[in-house]
């Protein structure tokens, strides 16, 4: 149930009945200030301006025709023509009761599910996965969980870089190391080190370099021996990534891997179709598409190479083939790409050309959800002290250790195992949340201190709020499943909390539409803060609290706990009973 949508719909009907053309929208939004109702419809002013009438009078006319049933207890016109809507406490009680008795918190699956294909994580297998892939993995996975919860069909695609010229060098190196009786697992235990070895070998030994080049050709033509080496390399590297997904509590599985190599057979057809359509032309013996749609200020079209001189294909060619596969074979109608903002031009070119060439129909939504860079404390892209790339696996271990130390400090009564387990959930949660709570498109500074703080908009704060609510039930000796008395909100703090609880689905809808998980973080943070205020103002277990008041407040507490844990779960973050 999305209150905002319901009100928008009702106000729109009233506007139509007041002869206001449909193009003027009701513009319903939660009110920003107390005293202005719970929701405000601001559409009357714009409509009045366009229709050249008095905005207050028009607002009055809308209100006269507004049929909200039992939803509102009061509707009034304020200022130059705002319509303030005060929700009725009975209606709020009833809605909360429905949420309380429903395993989905009364959030129905969407009526028209889409098939969303999400491209995220997508590391290059030639190297160790690094922090640059962290944001894509975390944001993409949260979106996958959220869209799934809403009832959409979600297809995850891990577009790993497992093809291209560097693999000639890597498998030639692997072959030599295997010949020295090393096992692939051992040789590739640190991909960064292995890559350096291969590169040095390539630069210093011309015979080896020749062999590497030969292997690229043989790999592309499907030579079984070379393919087998490549398979071996790929398997070990994928296992590295999978280990990180496990640590991160990310839902990607080996079945979601659809790497660049998968599209190899479709690259030549993509190029020839673009040529047949007259879109690709030969330019300095390469095949190039010039996109006027993306021309620069001087009017020079944006060049997009799809086949190199010598026949090699490019990143863009593969992306065109992948896009075709995702709409055509997978039936996706919403293609979502979670990739660094630095690849924006690339994505724009791919989307523009895919539309132009008819690889994708007009109804399919093509979305690049770009994100900024994760910065170190020095304000430069995150690196180790010595300037190397930080290995994700080390970073995640450090997060769990730091969090475990904090938990130990706070609660010495926990066993070593409990502390380690809670530390893992808090540490990983903190890393994920620190990323998710920032506006996706901005850069952000990675800071242990702020992400692990128990105050402010952090995972530990929300996880702690959850444990506090749960502890009330332990103290009261009440099983929340047995709560069945009706809710009866009365105090302003209860009312504010109630409305926030009922806005959960609004938050989810927004996140789903804009792929902006920080909106869900903000929502959860506000919910937890309103809960704290409620808890201070409205005693629950104190002696003298009437039984029906206590029951209603316990219901509110339980709804808060469930909403927090559901919300965090959709962000890929675990909760625990105590910390
Ligand atoms: N492997 C690429 C990189 O690490 C990211 C791939 C993103 N997905 C895509 N369809 N281009 O930069």
């Amino acid at each position: 149930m999305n209150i905002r949508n319901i009100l928008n719909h009702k106000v729109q009907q009233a506007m139509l009945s007041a002869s206001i053309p449909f193009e003027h929208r009701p513009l319903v939004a939660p009110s920003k200030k107390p005293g202005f109702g719970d929701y405000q419809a601001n559409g009357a002013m714009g409509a009045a301006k366009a229709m050249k009438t008095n905005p207050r009078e028009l607002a009055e006319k809308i209100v006269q025709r507004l049929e909200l049933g039992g939803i509102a207890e009061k509707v009034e016109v304020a200022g130059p023509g705002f319509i303030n809507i005060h929700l009725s406490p009975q209606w709020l009680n009833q809605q909360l009761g429905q949420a309380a008795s429903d395993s989905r918190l009364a959030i129905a699956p969407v009526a028209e599910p889409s098939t969303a294909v999400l491209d995220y994580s997508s590391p290059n297998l030639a190297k160790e996965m690094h922090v640059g892939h962290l944001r894509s993995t975390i944001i993409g996975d949260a979106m996958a969980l959220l869209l799934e919860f809403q009832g959409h069909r979600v297809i995850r695609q891990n577009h790993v870089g497992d093809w291209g010229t560097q693999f000639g060098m890597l498998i030639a190196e692997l072959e030599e190391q295997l010949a020295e009786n090393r096992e692939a697992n051992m040789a590739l235990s640190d991909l960064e080190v292995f890559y350096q070895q291969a590169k040095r070998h390539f630069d210093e030994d011309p015979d080896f370099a020749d062999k590497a080049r030969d292997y690229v050709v043989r790999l592309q033509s499907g030579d079984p021996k070379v393919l087998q080496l490549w398979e071996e390399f790929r398997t070990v590297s994928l296992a590295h990534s999978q280990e990180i997904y496990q640590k991160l509590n990310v839902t990607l599985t080996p079945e979601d891997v659809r790497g660049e190599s998968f599209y190899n057979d479709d690259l030549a057809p993509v190029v020839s179709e673009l040529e047949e359509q007259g879109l690709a032309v030969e330019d300095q013996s390469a095949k190039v598409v010039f996109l006027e749609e993306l021309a620069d200020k001087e009017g020079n079209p944006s060049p997009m190479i799809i086949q190199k001189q010598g026949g090699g294909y490019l990143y863009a060619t593969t992306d065109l083939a992948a896009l075709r596969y995702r709409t055509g074979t997978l039936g996706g109608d919403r293609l979502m790409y979670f990739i660094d903002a630095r690849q924006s031009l690339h994505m724009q070119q791919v989307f523009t050309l895919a539309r132009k060439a008819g690889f994708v129909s007009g109804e399919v939504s093509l979305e690049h959800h770009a994100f900024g860079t994760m910065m170190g404390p020095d304000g430069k892209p995150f690196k180790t002290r010595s300037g190397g790339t930080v290995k994700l696996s080390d970073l995640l271990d450090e997060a769990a250790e730091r969090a475990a130390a904090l938990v130990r400090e706070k609660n010495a009564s926990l066993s070593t195992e409990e502390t380690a387990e809670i530390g893992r959930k808090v540490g990983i949660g903190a890393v994920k949340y620190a990323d998710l709570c920032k506006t996706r498109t901005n850069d952000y500074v990675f800071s242990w201190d702020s992400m692990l703080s128990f105050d402010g908009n952090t995972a530990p704060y929300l996880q702690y709020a959850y444990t506090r609510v749960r502890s009330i039930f332990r103290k009261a000796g009440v099983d929340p499943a047995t709560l069945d008395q009706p809710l009866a909100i009365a105090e302003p703090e209860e009312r504010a909390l109630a409305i926030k609880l009922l806005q959960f689905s609004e938050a989810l809808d927004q996140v789903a539409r804009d792929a902006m998980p920080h909106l869900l973080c903000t929502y959860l943070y506000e919910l937890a803060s309103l809960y704290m205020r409620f808890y201070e103002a409205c005693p629950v277990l104190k002696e003298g609290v009437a039984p029906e008041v206590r029951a209603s407040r316990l219901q509110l507490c339980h709804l808060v706990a469930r909403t927090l844990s559901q919300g965090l779960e959709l962000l890929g973050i675990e909760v625990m009973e105590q910390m």
Side-chain angles (χ1 to χ4, degrees), residues 119 122-124 133 159 161 315 319 326 337 339 343 346:
D119 180 320
S122 309
N124 293 327
H133 298 110
H159 191 84
Y315 186 51
D319 258 323
R326 290 171 188 180
Y337 295 75
I339 316 176
Q343 295 193 25
H346 163 76

Side-chain angles (χ1 to χ4, degrees), residues 44-64:
M45 275 102 60
K49 195 168 175 209
M51 295 164 70
K52 300 194 169 63
T53 61
N54 179 309
R56 264 196 85 102
E57 275 166 29
L58 194 65
E60 294 287 0
K61 227 165 127 184
I62 297 170
V63 170
Q64 277 156 22

Side-chain angles (χ1 to χ4, degrees), residues 370-397:
F371 46 82
T373 307
M374 187 167 125
M375 302 294 198
D378 56 357
K380 295 194 188 121
F382 195 80
K383 291 266 158 70
T384 56
R385 284 230 179 85
S386 57
T389 46
V390 177
K391 268 220 244 165
L392 265 190
S393 166
D394 295 345
L395 184 91
L396 298 177
D397 290 343

Side-chain angles (χ1 to χ4, degrees), residues 77-125:
V77 174
F82 301 110
I83 298 171
N84 295 344
I85 302 168
H86 302 255
L87 300 172
S88 123
Q90 289 78 18
W91 187 77
L92 291 174
N93 285 331
Q94 188 199 332
Q95 298 304 312
L96 290 169
Q98 279 177 18
S101 62
D102 182 82
S103 63
R104 291 180 52 95
L105 293 160
I107 299 176
V110 288
E112 287 166 27
S114 55
T115 299
V117 180
L118 279 70
D119 180 320
Y120 67 98
S121 194
S122 309
N124 293 327
L125 297 189

Side-chain angles (χ1 to χ4, degrees), residues 126-254:
K127 293 204 173 186
E128 206 77 48
M129 194 167 162
H130 60 80
V131 292
H133 298 110
L134 187 65
R135 301 209 67 188
S136 174
T137 308
I138 293 173
I139 298 170
D141 206 50
M143 287 308 302
L145 292 166
L146 192 138
L147 291 170
E148 244 159 18
F149 177 75
Q150 290 200 312
H152 297 288
R153 214 176 130 233
V154 169
I155 304 176
R156 295 161 173 78
Q157 294 282 283
N158 193 354
H159 191 84
V160 301
D162 61 355
W163 207 239
T165 44
Q166 67 218 44
F167 282 91
M169 170 183 97
L170 292 168
I171 55 186
E173 178 69 22
L174 180 62
E175 183 181 39
E176 302 215 344
Q177 295 202 11
L178 292 179
E180 290 162 22
N181 240 337
R182 295 191 72 188
E183 274 182 40
N185 261 326
M186 285 304 296
L188 300 172
S189 65
D190 188 323
L191 289 173
E192 225 56 45
V193 170
F194 183 84
Y195 191 92
Q196 303 303 333
Q197 290 167 342
K199 184 84 178 60
R200 201 173 329 117
H201 207 163
F202 185 89
D203 290 340
E204 287 166 8
D205 180 348
D207 289 341
F208 178 79
D210 282 340
K211 184 165 155 191
R213 283 188 208 100
D214 175 45
Y215 275 17
V216 178
V217 180
R218 283 165 62 180
L219 180 62
Q220 267 157 2
S221 60
D223 176 307
K225 185 186 109 182
V226 174
L227 261 181
Q228 202 218 316
L229 279 166
W230 171 80
E231 273 297 350
E232 217 160 331
F233 184 95
R234 190 175 180 273
T235 306
V236 176
S237 179
L238 279 173
H240 285 234
S241 306
Q242 198 55 44
E243 204 180 297
I244 288 179
Y245 300 148
Q246 231 110 46
K247 270 193 192 165
L248 256 185
N249 184 30
V250 152
T251 57
L252 284 169
T253 68

